[in-house]
Amino acid sequence: MNRTTPRSPQGRKASATPMINTETALKEAMTGIEGSLGVALVDYGSGMALGTLGGGKDLDLSVATAGNTDVVRAKVRTMDMLGLKDEIEDILITLGTQYHLIRLLKSRNSSGLFLYLALDKDRSNLAMARHQLRRIEGELDI
């Protein structure tokens, strides 16, 4: 039996995974990841948030995205200085009551971007959050 890859009307190969936009990705992270406090999609080249959702008086996402941009830049610079030819999958910052998860996006269209997720430590499952954030990254179409 001969199987062919489905194609879109424009003749491109159809994606096996449905693609989602930034707004949908942020909503999925906030509603689908237990314990989410805030989420952002950030361009670490410019430090600009392309979208945010959640946060509040105890979590200013503008401050968090700017600060985490510095974290990502410092880690990328350190890896370059060490000559490491590897990719950052994610960066975890563990606080007393929160986890802050930074996931660098790897697709061709999203290089230079990261997803930032703040979690309530008592209400979240870190392993599951990492898994779900990786799934959201895979479906995100920038």
Side-chain angles (χ1 to χ4, degrees):
M1 180 171 177
N2 187 8
R3 293 184 183 248
T4 59
T5 303
R7 297 197 176 265
S8 70
Q10 294 80 22
R12 295 176 300 201
K13 287 184 182 179
S15 173
T17 305
M19 301 307 282
I20 59 176
N21 63 20
T22 300
E23 181 181 345
T24 303
L26 297 177
K27 285 179 184 175
E28 281 193 25
M30 279 301 293
T31 60
I33 300 177
E34 186 71 28
S36 293
L37 300 171
V39 63
L41 178 64
V42 183
D43 177 336
Y44 66 83
S46 68
M48 187 171 153
L50 304 179
T52 62
L53 193 59
K57 67 178 181 73
D58 295 329
L59 179 63
D60 183 333
L61 286 174
S62 296
V63 173
T65 57
N68 286 304
T69 295
D70 291 339
V71 169
V72 171
R73 287 176 182 164
K75 189 60 187 172
V76 168
R77 190 172 48 251
T78 302
M79 288 180 62
D80 285 343
M81 291 181 341
L82 291 171
L84 297 175
K85 303 294 182 213
D86 209 345
E87 293 180 337
I88 299 170
E89 190 171 307
D90 53 34
I91 298 169
L92 172 64
I93 300 166
T94 305
L95 306 177
T97 60
Q98 297 177 359
Y99 294 123
H100 291 227
L101 189 56
I102 301 165
R103 176 138 189 110
L104 276 70
L105 305 185
K106 293 179 180 54
S107 76
R108 179 178 50 84
N109 297 338
S110 60
S111 65
L113 302 178
F114 68 88
L115 282 166
Y116 164 69
L117 177 66
L119 299 164
D120 180 301
K121 200 172 182 181
D122 291 334
R123 297 181 336 171
S124 61
N125 177 322
L126 183 57
M128 186 57 80
R130 288 184 69 220
H131 173 74
Q132 290 173 306
L133 206 56
R134 182 173 40 247
R135 178 190 55 78
I136 291 168
E137 173 198 0
E139 295 174 1
L140 183 59
D141 185 25
I142 309 278

